[in-house]
Amino acid sequence: MIKKKPLSLAAAVILTLSAHAQVIAQQRTFDVPKQPAVSAIPELARQADIQIVAPAGSLEGIYTPAVVGELDLREALRQLLQGTGLEIASIDDRVILLRRQEKAAADIDADNASLETVLVTAQGPIERKRNSAVVLDSSEFDDVETLASDHSIAAMAMMLPGVSADEDGDQPKYITIRGLQADLNHTTIDGISIASVGNNGSGERRINLQLVPSQISWRTDISKAFSAEQDAGAIGGVLDVVTRSAFDRNSTYFLVDGYGIYSTYSDAGAKNVLDDANDHWGQGMKAIFSTQFGPDNQFGVLMSGSYQSRSRNASKLVQDRKGYFSDDGAVVGEPNAEAGWNGIVSPMNFGYGSFPNTIENQGTSVKLEWQPVDSNFHGSLLYFSYSRKDDWNEISNDIYIPENPTGIIEQDENGGRLLVRIVDSIWANNTWTRNNEGYLGNLQWQGENSVLSLKAGHTYDNYRNVENMFQSRASGLERQRIYVDYVNSELPQITGFVDPSAPASLTYRLQGGQHTQPFARETVDDVRLDYSWNAGPEARGLGIVTGLEWRRLVLSKDVERTVYATGTVVNPWMIDPGAPSLEGQHYWVPWLDGRAFIDEAVDSLPVNATSSRSQSIAQDFKYAENLSVGYVSAHYATDRTLYLLGLRYDRIDFDAWAPVTRNGVIASGLDTFDGGYDHLLPSFNVRHRLTDDINLRFSYSHTLGRPRPADIAAAQSINCTDSDEGENETCSITRGNPDLKPQRSRNVDLSVEKYFNANRGAVSLGYFHKTIKDNIFTLTGSDVIDGVDYTIRQPTNLDEMTVQGVEFSIMNRGMRLLGQRFDASLNASWFDGETTYVTDAGSRSIDRLLYQPEWVANASVTYRMPWIHGAARVAVNARGPYMNSTGGLKAWEDAGRNQLTTTNFSLWHSLGEHLTIKYEATNLFDEQPDYGKGEDLQILRQMDDYGRSFYLHVIWNL
């Protein structure tokens, strides 16, 4: 048995990245700076993609010279070992063995036997994919090479095949896997489930991966085919963040990365209303420290910290109301020529918003590890705490047009003149704060042919917001005959008011105002015990993996809201922003000066007590869920084929508490109910090595999409009407549904993988198909309760949907082109979904799923430049359009995001042994998100502008 031991007591360090005899004579570009031998030897092995075994005791205090240039491996090793007292002892088809020069070759075997060799593996994404029992893709973090734009786990995962994101402005927030929205995926850290309140505490199961910085990870694995050994609450895939270890490196490691940020977007109007809103600049820092200690170096500690503050100012042009008319001015209602539509999309509103925003991320992690000498046990305890604060402001206006023929004064395909109905102005400030914190423990025993692992975690996620929102409105303007002229451009825009003085002369009244403080918290306690026998990578014959898991999730939300009465004249606080609403336009409408309004007027505003109480309590809920799992997975391996046959038992029991409103009156206390479900979930996986370089895979599995807590614990509203006799005639109820069942998916995967370039390259092609039953829709039904007829509107299981797709990927490290060395990767995925959307009025077939893009593609190229001790990288993320809301039976009301491609660039180079300078540009070509409407999202409805960002890093490391 080979035991893991710390470097200071071990006889050798083996770095495994790939090894074949034929690669020894290949010319490579090396760039290994002068440094301690204990780190230089693994670095040269990494660049050469080979294994090197060296006597650890001979490395202490030795520095190696720099190795730079186009060399074969023997020459590179000769230069590296010059003056070190080490020499090459042997080269076989897997390992290069080094020895002290005074040792005779005949003593090598005896020397190795007495020194108890330690094996340290550095298996890369390609080897990991090749050896995995299921379909797996990985992304690794590098302290220097990973882009700052990939600072979160969400951003790193987006470079993998079949992965896209639901964006939050200019950053990914939730990931979709194989076209399945974030609620249908599962996320773990070191195999332990973590807490997340979802989208601002609204009761989803999605994990906000903006909060988890990438530097906590060694790598991120995404499993897209399932065995019984994985969590069953995922249909798209399971994302596991594998954290770093103090034993990943052979010595103390310390790195500090300080950087400045410049964001290009500027908005003059926002600056004039908010003095601190136009800041281009930001800054950040991250630090990593790891070391081993104790009498036998059996303990390790790894600490990381990060901080970033940046401005993310944005503007939004919004036009989500469209009108469709005939040639004679009649309302058609839909863009359908057969219904008489004249072919002109008539704008029914013109909206512009300025959104000054400052984002602050900070956090820390500490990992303590224990790897005792001469013991089969090892363990770790990880603590992490990450927070994000968004200081978000909105200053916007909307001009509304009558949605009938009276609003169209003149119109053709180039533009026209429209009658104004309403002018709105909104001022809002939100301070969103998220904090994700947890403790994760792992204790493992490894025997001759078996592994017993106990993992436990306690994590929680808090969300808090403080919001002030005020809306002013001038209405009834049709009678004042106020007109605007507009032109059809990419998004139709107003060129001016016919009477330029009209906006300033209107009477503006408070249309809405509120002060809101929501708080949500989710805790997750997870304990799992796993045992495997004869199931390792080199095992042959029958093996078993089995385990138990218990997990408790508790989610609660509490809202406090003050609603102000409407009608107050607010003209004294309406101001000229000092800039046109949009660059190049020559009109303006007043903006509400929200800060002055809060300071001078809010305390005297009347409060709507009834609305304040009902809107506060109606959003409160609590949900508690217990998961109990048992699984068994039989492995059978031959020299060429691995079979996995598994069965997983999955049981959920829950309790929920929700408020009740009866005829508009909030009832005292909360309504309590419980429920649950259980499933037996089979799986079967086969991996067959057709040749040494070709894998064939097949997978079949059943998995679940668990209902959202908000669909079960929604507030209950009961309204009844009385007959003349005073008896209840009919009642209606809107509520959550404790009888809701999970979505059930049957998953099929087929793929082929080809490995080349001495395992530094791989190409794969895969097909998948998923049939998902018991989709969840909110519908109205009827029932008789205590002799009274009720109509009941609640989430309901109904119908099914399917999604299938093809994934292609190719990657190659260290490839040669025109005498230069490159690393390159490319992946592309195509998705085809079909769902039946059901409403109270009927159903409609849709050729996609919500949040499912039509395609996803990613590419990156890294150009190695040893003459500057650095490299340059270009990374491209692209996705097709996706729908994020449906119009029910009205396909022309479907809405979503259009195609988006972003390109990021970085260049880094070293200045001496310890200093690296890095330059980055994110969204290099200034591609900005826009939004569409219609069955194919073909009608533009919104355009955003976040600008670009540039980073300058100064990195110092030991």
Side-chain angles (χ1 to χ4, degrees):
M1 178 178 65
I2 296 177
K3 299 180 180 179
K4 297 185 75 175
K5 296 189 179 181
L7 176 66
S8 62
L9 296 181
V13 175
I14 305 176
L15 184 68
T16 304
L17 287 160
S18 91
H20 285 288
Q22 65 266 29
V23 306
I24 301 300
Q26 289 181 359
Q27 292 283 312
R28 295 176 176 81
T29 301
F30 288 95
D31 179 19
V32 182
K34 178 183 177 181
Q35 59 187 294
V38 73
S39 56
I41 292 173
E43 176 59 21
L44 185 137
R46 185 189 71 81
Q47 294 186 17
D49 290 321
I50 48 86
Q51 297 177 0
I52 300 178
V53 179
S58 300
L59 302 183
E60 296 180 3
I62 294 177
Y63 277 75
T64 60
V67 178
V68 178
E70 191 81 10
L71 307 168
D72 65 32
L73 183 56
R74 287 184 182 274
E75 177 59 20
L77 279 168
R78 188 195 66 78
Q79 294 186 20
L80 185 79
L81 301 179
Q82 186 174 4
T84 64
L86 298 173
E87 65 182 3
I88 299 173
S90 65
I91 300 178
D92 61 26
D93 63 344
R94 296 298 297 176
V95 175
I96 295 176
L97 184 64
L98 305 182
R99 65 178 180 182
R100 291 184 291 274
Q101 289 179 339
E102 66 268 18
K103 287 287 184 180
D107 297 332
I108 294 293
D109 290 340
D111 191 46
N112 287 341
S114 65
L115 290 172
E116 297 180 282
T117 301
V118 59
L119 178 66
V120 180
T121 57
Q123 195 176 57
I126 294 176
E127 280 289 318
R128 200 171 300 117
K129 179 183 182 72
R130 179 179 183 176
N131 294 327
S132 173
V134 297
V135 178
L136 177 80
D137 288 297
S138 296
S139 176
E140 291 187 347
F141 177 81
D142 184 280
D143 288 319
V144 174
E145 298 191 9
T146 299
L147 299 174
S149 56
D150 295 341
H151 77 280
S152 72
I153 295 296
M156 281 186 62
M158 280 182 61
M159 291 302 297
L160 297 176
V163 179
S164 61
D166 184 19
E167 298 96 353
D168 171 24
D170 62 345
Q171 293 181 331
K173 186 175 184 178
Y174 306 111
I175 66 165
T176 66
I177 302 175
R178 290 184 160 181
L180 278 302
Q181 60 177 290
D183 288 321
L184 299 178
N185 303 313
H186 188 72
T187 299
T188 60
I189 297 180
D190 289 334
I192 303 172
S193 298
I194 60 174
S196 175
V197 297
N199 188 22
N200 299 337
S202 50
E204 296 107 343
R205 293 190 179 271
R206 57 192 60 188
I207 301 292
N208 182 351
L209 292 172
Q210 284 177 318
L211 292 173
V212 185
S214 51
Q215 74 259 18
I216 194 179
S217 70
W218 167 33
R219 68 177 195 267
T220 298
D221 294 341
I222 295 183
S223 302
K224 292 179 283 189
F226 306 96
S227 72
E229 300 158 34
Q230 297 161 292
D231 194 278
I235 297 177
V238 176
L239 183 149
D240 184 38
V241 179
V242 181
T243 59
R244 302 165 75 140
S245 169
F247 294 97
D248 288 341
R249 294 180 180 271
N250 305 319
S251 60
T252 297
Y253 176 71
F254 181 52
L255 177 141
V256 177
D257 178 359
Y259 55 92
I261 311 169
Y262 179 80
S263 300
T264 62
Y265 183 77
S266 172
D267 181 73
K271 184 177 181 181
N272 291 345
V273 177
L274 299 171
D275 293 337
D276 56 354
N278 198 34
D279 187 7
H280 289 281
W281 297 96
Q283 61 280 328
M285 185 182 75
K286 68 179 182 182
I288 305 289
F289 172 79
S290 69
T291 192
Q292 302 158 21
F293 62 95
D296 298 316
N297 273 7
Q298 71 270 39
F299 297 106
V301 61
L302 187 146
M303 296 183 287
S304 71
S306 61
Y307 173 81
Q308 184 187 93
S309 177
R310 72 183 185 103
S311 61
R312 188 183 69 182
N313 301 326
S315 67
K316 300 177 185 287
L317 294 173
V318 182
Q319 193 176 98
D320 50 7
R321 294 172 181 256
K322 308 288 186 179
Y324 310 102
F325 302 94
S326 64
D327 288 330
D328 58 6
V331 175
V332 174
E334 61 178 288
N336 185 348
E338 295 181 1
W341 178 45
N342 62 9
I344 299 174
V345 178
S346 300
M348 296 288 98
N349 77 306
F350 298 88
Y352 171 78
S354 177
F355 297 83
N357 188 10
T358 300
I359 301 172
E360 185 177 282
N361 292 278
Q362 58 184 320
T364 187
S365 69
V366 179
K367 187 176 185 180
L368 299 175
E369 297 176 88
W370 173 60
Q371 293 190 6
V373 178
D374 295 324
S375 174
N376 293 334
F377 285 94
H378 70 265
S380 65
L381 177 64
L382 170 68
Y383 167 76
F384 65 88
S385 177
Y386 298 109
S387 65
R388 177 184 175 94
K389 179 182 178 182
D390 287 17
D391 187 7
W392 180 91
N393 299 276
E394 174 184 358
I395 310 166
S396 63
N397 57 63
D398 263 299
I399 297 172
Y400 293 96
I401 309 302
E403 298 186 22
N404 57 60
T406 64
I408 310 298
I409 307 306
E410 301 174 8
Q411 189 179 62
D412 58 27
E413 63 275 7
N414 299 314
R417 177 166 293 181
L418 305 173
L419 179 66
V420 176
R421 180 170 64 96
I422 291 171
V423 175
D424 272 355
S425 177
I426 293 178
W427 183 93
N429 171 259
N430 288 265
T431 303
W432 291 302
T433 304
R434 293 285 297 267
N435 175 243
N436 193 281
E437 191 168 343
Y439 302 84
L440 307 177
N442 177 31
L443 180 63
Q444 183 170 299
W445 173 86
Q446 185 166 352
E448 183 79 25
N449 202 24
S450 57
V451 178
L452 180 64
S453 172
L454 175 64
K455 295 181 178 181
H458 170 74
T459 60
Y460 64 85
D461 188 25
N462 291 338
Y463 160 78
R464 190 185 302 275
N465 184 29
V466 178
E467 179 194 46
N468 289 291
M469 189 284 294
F470 297 97
Q471 178 182 5
S472 66
R473 171 170 290 183
S475 59
L477 305 186
E478 304 98 316
R479 296 186 296 274
Q480 300 183 42
R481 314 309 292 175
I482 295 175
Y483 304 101
V484 292
D485 292 327
Y486 83 97
V487 294
N488 269 324
S489 55
E490 190 174 11
L491 190 68
Q493 288 301 312
I494 292 174
T495 57
F497 282 77
V498 173
D499 178 1
S501 65
S505 65
L506 301 175
T507 299
Y508 294 90
R509 298 181 181 274
L510 188 66
Q511 176 66 18
Q514 62 187 39
H515 174 78
T516 307
Q517 295 189 69
F519 174 76
R521 178 182 176 91
E522 180 176 291
T523 61
V524 170
D525 296 297
D526 191 11
V527 180
R528 57 180 299 171
L529 181 68
D530 301 277
Y531 173 76
S532 66
W533 171 79
N534 197 39
E538 304 301 323
R540 296 294 181 266
L542 180 65
I544 295 293
V545 179
T546 187
L548 301 170
E549 182 178 8
W550 176 85
R551 185 165 74 228
R552 179 169 175 81
L553 176 155
V554 179
L555 172 64
S556 61
K557 185 176 183 180
D558 178 71
V559 176
E560 295 294 332
R561 174 171 290 170
T562 300
V563 179
Y564 298 101
T566 61
T568 299
V569 175
V570 295
N571 281 57
W573 298 278
M574 302 300 294
I575 63 171
D576 177 357
S581 294
L582 183 65
E583 184 178 354
Q585 293 186 351
H586 305 286
Y587 80 95
W588 64 274
V589 296
W591 283 359
L592 177 65
D593 187 344
R595 290 182 174 176
F597 186 71
I598 290 175
D599 292 340
E600 301 169 12
V602 166
D603 288 343
S604 61
L605 288 177
V607 173
N608 187 327
T610 300
S611 294
S612 297
R613 174 173 163 75
S614 63
Q615 291 186 32
S616 295
I617 296 178
Q619 298 185 60
D620 298 347
F621 72 89
K622 182 178 179 181
Y623 175 84
E625 172 184 286
N626 290 325
L627 168 71
S628 303
V629 167
Y631 76 88
V632 61
S633 180
H635 291 225
Y636 187 81
T638 68
D639 289 340
R640 290 288 184 184
T641 309
L642 173 65
Y643 303 92
L644 273 71
L645 179 62
L647 187 65
R648 187 179 184 95
Y649 175 73
D650 185 285
R651 179 178 178 82
I652 288 285
D653 296 286
F654 65 80
D655 296 282
W657 298 262
V660 179
T661 303
R662 299 181 184 275
N663 292 330
V665 178
I666 301 290
S668 60
L670 297 175
D671 193 20
T672 304
F673 44 89
D674 55 33
Y677 51 84
D678 62 348
H679 290 83
L680 279 173
L681 303 166
S683 61
F684 179 61
N685 289 266
V686 179
R687 185 199 68 207
H688 176 66
R689 298 199 192 281
L690 189 63
T691 68
D692 288 341
D693 296 326
I694 298 177
N695 278 353
L696 301 178
R697 295 184 184 272
F698 169 78
S699 177
Y700 175 83
S701 63
H702 288 196
T703 56
L704 304 174
R706 306 191 197 281
R708 303 181 311 162
D711 288 332
I712 295 173
Q716 185 172 188
S717 176
I718 304 173
N719 292 282
C720 297
T721 59
D722 294 334
S723 67
D724 293 339
E725 290 77 18
E727 297 179 355
N728 288 337
E729 267 189 344
T730 60
C731 292
S732 64
I733 300 178
T734 300
R735 66 186 186 190
N737 184 359
D739 296 323
L740 208 58
K741 301 303 180 185
Q743 295 168 270
R744 297 176 293 122
S745 180
R746 295 195 305 269
N747 314 295
V748 176
D749 283 82
L750 292 166
S751 61
V752 58
E753 303 158 358
K754 166 67 176 175
Y755 298 88
F756 58 92
N757 193 14
N759 276 343
R760 291 176 294 172
V763 58
S764 65
L765 181 66
Y767 167 80
F768 72 89
H769 186 280
K770 299 177 184 292
T771 301
I772 306 168
K773 296 184 176 181
D774 291 333
N775 288 337
I776 298 173
F777 301 93
T778 299
L779 299 173
T780 302
S782 61
D783 198 359
V784 177
I785 304 175
D786 296 330
V788 178
D789 292 330
Y790 280 80
T791 58
I792 302 173
R793 184 166 180 80
Q794 63 183 4
T796 304
N797 292 110
L798 195 68
D799 225 310
E800 70 177 33
M801 61 184 178
T802 62
V803 61
Q804 61 182 342
V806 175
E807 293 179 348
F808 170 80
S809 70
I810 184 170
M811 63 187 86
N812 194 4
R813 297 177 54 213
M815 67 179 184
R816 301 290 177 172
L817 182 64
L818 300 177
Q820 305 299 310
R821 181 174 169 230
F822 296 86
D823 301 335
S825 67
L826 169 68
N827 63 72
S829 303
W830 294 265
F831 308 114
D832 178 33
E834 184 174 346
T835 185
T836 300
Y837 192 83
V838 183
T839 71
D840 291 335
S843 62
R844 167 180 155 231
S845 180
I846 302 177
D847 63 353
R848 69 190 77 181
L849 278 53
L850 283 177
Y851 298 96
Q852 172 228 303
E854 296 177 357
W855 54 268
V856 173
N858 304 289
S860 70
V861 176
T862 303
Y863 174 36
R864 303 290 175 181
M865 295 181 283
W867 57 91
I868 64 169
H869 302 289
R873 174 174 294 168
V874 176
V876 181
N877 294 101
R879 59 151 177 81
Y882 68 86
M883 182 174 63
N884 56 23
S885 67
T886 73
L889 302 185
K890 301 176 180 179
W892 59 92
E893 294 292 342
D894 292 346
R897 296 175 181 247
N898 288 323
Q899 175 182 331
L900 180 65
T901 300
T902 56
T903 303
N904 301 321
F905 171 80
S906 65
L907 170 69
W908 62 91
H909 60 90
S910 296
L911 299 176
E913 294 181 22
H914 304 294
L915 185 64
T916 300
I917 307 298
K918 183 178 178 182
Y919 319 88
E920 291 188 68
T922 64
N923 194 17
L924 185 63
F925 299 116
D926 203 21
E927 295 291 326
Q928 301 297 334
D930 60 55
Y931 305 73
K933 196 171 186 178
E935 189 168 13
D936 296 313
L937 306 180
Q938 70 275 18
I939 301 173
L940 190 63
R941 67 179 180 91
Q942 180 175 328
M943 298 170 62
D944 294 355
D945 189 355
Y946 295 92
R948 292 171 286 179
S949 295
F950 298 90
Y951 296 72
L952 174 63
H953 298 253
V954 178
I955 304 169
W956 186 81
N957 72 286
L958 284 177

